Amino acid sequence: EAIGRRIGTEIREFAAGLVGAGQNFRSALIRYWENAALILDDRPWEEENEMILRWFSGETVSLAVMRKLGVYSRIDKNTSKEAFRSMAALVRARGASGLVILIDELELITFQNRRVQDAAYSTLRQLIDSADGGGDTHPPEGIFVLGAATPEMFEEEGFKKYPALWDRVAPGLTGSLLRTLGLDEKPWINPSAVVIDLDLARLDQSALGEIAR
Protein backbone atom coordinates (compact mmCIF):
# COMPACT_ATOMS: atom_id res chain seq x y z
CA GLU A 1 0.00 0.00 0.00
CA ALA A 2 2.85 2.39 0.84
CA ILE A 3 4.50 1.60 -2.50
CA GLY A 4 1.22 2.27 -4.26
CA ARG A 5 0.90 5.67 -2.59
CA ARG A 6 4.48 6.57 -3.54
CA ILE A 7 3.89 5.54 -7.17
CA GLY A 8 0.69 7.56 -7.26
CA THR A 9 2.48 10.60 -5.84
CA GLU A 10 5.30 10.35 -8.37
CA ILE A 11 2.85 10.03 -11.25
CA ARG A 12 0.96 13.13 -10.16
CA GLU A 13 4.14 15.12 -9.58
CA PHE A 14 5.39 14.23 -13.06
CA ALA A 15 2.08 15.25 -14.65
CA ALA A 16 2.05 18.50 -12.69
CA GLY A 17 5.49 19.32 -14.08
CA LEU A 18 4.42 19.11 -17.73
CA VAL A 19 4.78 22.77 -18.65
CA GLY A 20 2.15 23.76 -21.19
CA ALA A 21 0.02 20.63 -20.90
CA GLY A 22 -3.73 21.03 -20.51
CA GLN A 23 -5.61 19.82 -17.45
CA ASN A 24 -7.66 17.27 -19.40
CA PHE A 25 -4.45 15.77 -20.80
CA ARG A 26 -2.88 15.64 -17.34
CA SER A 27 -5.96 13.96 -15.85
CA ALA A 28 -6.11 11.34 -18.60
CA LEU A 29 -2.38 10.66 -18.28
CA ILE A 30 -2.54 10.30 -14.49
CA ARG A 31 -5.49 7.92 -14.64
CA TYR A 32 -3.89 5.82 -17.38
CA TRP A 33 -0.56 5.47 -15.57
CA GLU A 34 -2.21 4.79 -12.22
CA ASN A 35 -4.29 2.05 -13.80
CA ALA A 36 -1.27 0.51 -15.55
CA ALA A 37 1.04 0.75 -12.53
CA LEU A 38 -1.27 -0.07 -9.66
CA ILE A 39 -3.89 -2.39 -11.27
CA LEU A 40 -6.48 -1.67 -8.60
CA ASP A 41 -8.99 -4.46 -8.09
CA ASP A 42 -11.79 -2.02 -7.31
CA ARG A 43 -11.42 -0.21 -10.63
CA PRO A 44 -12.24 -1.43 -14.18
CA TRP A 45 -8.76 -0.34 -15.21
CA GLU A 46 -8.58 -2.23 -18.52
CA GLU A 47 -11.81 -0.70 -19.80
CA GLU A 48 -10.78 2.72 -18.54
CA ASN A 49 -7.38 2.59 -20.22
CA GLU A 50 -8.91 1.46 -23.50
CA MET A 51 -11.24 4.48 -23.33
CA ILE A 52 -8.36 6.80 -22.46
CA LEU A 53 -6.29 5.55 -25.42
CA ARG A 54 -9.25 6.19 -27.70
CA TRP A 55 -9.48 9.72 -26.25
CA PHE A 56 -5.76 10.31 -26.87
CA SER A 57 -6.31 9.13 -30.47
CA GLY A 58 -9.00 11.76 -31.02
CA GLU A 59 -11.83 9.26 -31.31
CA THR A 60 -15.35 10.14 -30.26
CA VAL A 61 -15.75 8.82 -26.74
CA SER A 62 -18.45 9.14 -24.11
CA LEU A 63 -17.93 12.38 -22.19
CA ALA A 64 -20.14 11.04 -19.42
CA VAL A 65 -17.57 8.29 -18.86
CA MET A 66 -14.55 10.56 -19.35
CA ARG A 67 -15.86 13.09 -16.83
CA LYS A 68 -15.62 10.40 -14.16
CA LEU A 69 -11.91 10.25 -15.01
CA GLY A 70 -11.46 14.01 -14.74
CA VAL A 71 -11.59 14.70 -18.48
CA TYR A 72 -14.21 17.21 -19.64
CA SER A 73 -13.74 17.64 -23.39
CA ARG A 74 -12.83 15.58 -26.43
CA ILE A 75 -9.81 16.13 -28.65
CA ASP A 76 -11.19 17.77 -31.77
CA LYS A 77 -10.54 20.77 -34.00
CA ASN A 78 -11.46 23.11 -31.14
CA THR A 79 -8.99 21.59 -28.69
CA SER A 80 -6.26 20.49 -31.13
CA LYS A 81 -3.82 23.24 -30.14
CA GLU A 82 -3.96 22.24 -26.50
CA ALA A 83 -3.62 18.56 -27.44
CA PHE A 84 -0.49 19.16 -29.53
CA ARG A 85 0.99 21.43 -26.87
CA SER A 86 0.33 18.75 -24.24
CA MET A 87 1.81 15.89 -26.28
CA ALA A 88 4.89 17.96 -27.06
CA ALA A 89 5.29 18.70 -23.36
CA LEU A 90 5.11 14.98 -22.58
CA VAL A 91 7.71 13.82 -25.12
CA ARG A 92 10.06 16.65 -24.12
CA ALA A 93 9.68 15.71 -20.45
CA ARG A 94 10.64 12.15 -21.40
CA GLY A 95 13.91 13.37 -22.92
CA ALA A 96 13.01 13.78 -26.60
CA SER A 97 13.70 17.00 -28.48
CA GLY A 98 10.09 17.32 -29.55
CA LEU A 99 7.18 15.92 -31.51
CA VAL A 100 7.55 15.26 -35.26
CA ILE A 101 4.47 14.71 -37.44
CA LEU A 102 5.07 13.24 -40.90
CA ILE A 103 2.43 13.28 -43.66
CA ASP A 104 3.23 11.75 -47.03
CA GLU A 105 1.47 11.84 -50.43
CA LEU A 106 -0.69 14.89 -49.78
CA GLU A 107 -1.48 14.92 -53.50
CA LEU A 108 -3.93 12.05 -52.91
CA ILE A 109 -6.34 14.67 -51.56
CA THR A 110 -7.03 15.80 -55.14
CA PHE A 111 -8.55 12.41 -55.97
CA GLN A 112 -11.40 12.99 -53.51
CA ASN A 113 -14.63 14.90 -54.06
CA ARG A 114 -14.74 18.60 -53.20
CA ARG A 115 -16.38 18.13 -49.81
CA VAL A 116 -13.71 15.66 -48.70
CA GLN A 117 -10.98 17.87 -50.17
CA ASP A 118 -12.17 20.89 -48.21
CA ALA A 119 -12.33 18.85 -45.01
CA ALA A 120 -8.79 17.54 -45.58
CA TYR A 121 -7.42 21.01 -46.37
CA SER A 122 -9.14 22.41 -43.28
CA THR A 123 -7.60 19.69 -41.11
CA LEU A 124 -4.16 20.37 -42.59
CA ARG A 125 -4.55 24.10 -41.97
CA GLN A 126 -5.55 23.44 -38.36
CA LEU A 127 -2.57 21.11 -37.97
CA ILE A 128 -0.21 23.83 -39.17
CA ASP A 129 -1.82 26.39 -36.87
CA SER A 130 -1.59 24.00 -33.94
CA ALA A 131 2.12 23.49 -34.56
CA ASP A 132 3.06 27.18 -34.72
CA GLY A 133 0.52 28.48 -32.23
CA GLY A 134 -1.94 29.89 -34.77
CA GLY A 135 -1.39 33.43 -33.56
CA ASP A 136 -0.96 32.52 -29.90
CA THR A 137 1.36 34.77 -27.92
CA HIS A 138 3.22 31.69 -26.66
CA PRO A 139 3.19 29.01 -29.37
CA PRO A 140 3.95 25.42 -28.39
CA GLU A 141 7.60 24.42 -28.41
CA GLY A 142 9.05 21.28 -29.94
CA ILE A 143 6.51 20.54 -32.69
CA PHE A 144 7.59 19.99 -36.29
CA VAL A 145 5.12 19.13 -39.06
CA LEU A 146 6.53 17.82 -42.33
CA GLY A 147 4.28 17.15 -45.32
CA ALA A 148 5.34 15.82 -48.71
CA ALA A 149 3.51 16.62 -51.94
CA THR A 150 4.15 16.67 -55.66
CA PRO A 151 4.62 20.03 -57.45
CA GLU A 152 1.08 19.79 -58.83
CA MET A 153 -0.28 20.52 -55.35
CA PHE A 154 1.01 24.08 -55.71
CA GLU A 155 -1.02 24.63 -58.88
CA GLU A 156 -4.67 25.65 -59.29
CA GLU A 157 -6.07 22.19 -58.49
CA GLY A 158 -4.07 21.81 -55.30
CA PHE A 159 -3.63 23.89 -52.17
CA LYS A 160 -4.81 27.02 -53.97
CA LYS A 161 -8.37 25.69 -53.89
CA TYR A 162 -8.40 26.38 -50.15
CA PRO A 163 -7.27 30.00 -49.59
CA ALA A 164 -6.87 29.69 -45.81
CA LEU A 165 -4.37 26.88 -46.34
CA TRP A 166 -2.68 28.49 -49.34
CA ASP A 167 -1.95 31.57 -47.21
CA ARG A 168 0.16 29.31 -44.99
CA VAL A 169 1.95 27.14 -47.54
CA ALA A 170 2.38 29.38 -50.57
CA PRO A 171 6.04 29.01 -51.60
CA GLY A 172 8.33 31.89 -52.40
CA LEU A 173 10.62 31.53 -55.37
CA THR A 174 10.52 28.14 -57.05
CA GLY A 175 13.07 26.60 -59.34
CA SER A 176 10.91 27.06 -62.45
CA LEU A 177 10.29 30.74 -61.64
CA LEU A 178 13.98 31.41 -61.03
CA ARG A 179 14.88 29.81 -64.33
CA THR A 180 12.19 31.88 -66.07
CA LEU A 181 13.69 35.02 -64.56
CA GLY A 182 17.15 33.93 -65.65
CA LEU A 183 18.42 33.84 -62.06
CA ASP A 184 20.94 31.47 -60.54
CA GLU A 185 19.01 28.98 -58.40
CA LYS A 186 21.56 28.01 -55.77
CA PRO A 187 21.75 31.28 -53.74
CA TRP A 188 17.98 31.16 -53.24
CA ILE A 189 17.86 27.83 -51.43
CA ASN A 190 16.42 28.31 -47.93
CA PRO A 191 16.28 25.05 -45.94
CA SER A 192 14.29 26.83 -43.22
CA ALA A 193 11.51 27.99 -45.54
CA VAL A 194 7.90 26.89 -45.07
CA VAL A 195 8.10 25.07 -48.42
CA ILE A 196 11.30 23.49 -49.73
CA ASP A 197 11.41 22.75 -53.45
CA LEU A 198 13.46 19.54 -53.47
CA ASP A 199 14.08 19.80 -57.21
CA LEU A 200 15.54 23.25 -56.62
CA ALA A 201 17.47 22.34 -53.48
CA ARG A 202 18.94 19.10 -54.87
CA LEU A 203 19.66 17.89 -51.35
CA ASP A 204 21.54 14.66 -50.65
CA GLN A 205 20.70 12.28 -47.81
CA SER A 206 23.02 13.97 -45.32
CA ALA A 207 21.53 17.38 -46.06
CA LEU A 208 17.99 16.04 -45.64
CA GLY A 209 19.00 14.56 -42.30
CA GLU A 210 20.46 17.88 -41.20
CA ILE A 211 17.22 19.70 -42.04
CA ALA A 212 15.25 17.11 -40.07
CA ARG A 213 17.44 17.70 -37.03
Side-chain angles (χ1 to χ4, degrees), residues 59-72:
E59 296 183 25
T60 300
V61 296
S62 169
L63 278 182
V65 174
M66 294 304 295
R67 288 190 186 101
K68 296 178 182 179
L69 311 181
V71 177
Y72 296 93

Side-chain angles (χ1 to χ4, degrees), residues 15-195:
L18 294 177
V19 178
Q23 186 55 52
N24 285 320
F25 187 91
R26 296 174 197 264
S27 297
L29 194 64
I30 289 171
R31 190 69 170 215
Y32 184 87
W33 279 348
E34 283 184 346
N35 285 341
L38 303 179
I39 311 181
L40 301 176
D41 294 333
D42 61 344
R43 183 184 296 177
W45 65 272
E46 290 180 304
E47 292 82 356
E48 284 187 2
N49 277 8
E50 181 179 351
M51 181 73 73
I52 293 169
L53 287 178
R54 290 177 57 199
W55 181 84
F56 279 130
S57 299
E59 296 183 25
T60 300
V61 296
S62 169
L63 278 182
V65 174
M66 294 304 295
R67 288 190 186 101
K68 296 178 182 179
L69 311 181
V71 177
Y72 296 93
S73 64
R74 299 186 180 96
I75 295 178
D76 55 25
K77 64 181 182 180
N78 297 315
T79 59
S80 62
K81 292 179 185 177
E82 179 181 296
F84 279 110
R85 186 181 292 111
S86 300
M87 185 59 69
L90 174 60
V91 298
R92 286 164 64 88
R94 297 299 299 165
S97 298
L99 179 67
V100 178
I101 302 169
L102 305 176
I103 310 173
D104 196 10
E105 298 184 334
L106 287 170
E107 64 273 9
L108 295 180
I109 295 174
T110 62
F111 293 99
Q112 309 301 316
N113 62 49
R114 184 57 188 266
R115 181 181 62 81
V116 175
Q117 285 185 34
D118 285 348
Y121 289 141
S122 177
T123 298
L124 186 58
R125 190 269 303 168
Q126 292 165 8
L127 183 61
I128 293 171
D129 283 355
S130 296
D132 68 10
D136 290 351
T137 303
H138 302 290
E141 296 182 4
I143 298 180
F144 181 68
V145 179
L146 177 62
T150 58
E152 289 75 21
M153 287 300 288
F154 296 91
E155 304 299 334
E156 297 301 325
E157 293 303 310
F159 298 132
K160 289 183 179 181
K161 294 175 70 174
Y162 201 83
L165 175 60
W166 182 246
D167 286 344
R168 291 157 174 79
V169 302
L173 296 175
T174 63
S176 60
L177 177 57
L178 289 171
R179 288 189 290 272
T180 299
L181 297 174
L183 298 174
D184 181 17
E185 300 173 19
K186 191 172 182 179
W188 297 93
I189 296 173
N190 178 8
S192 299
V194 174
V195 176

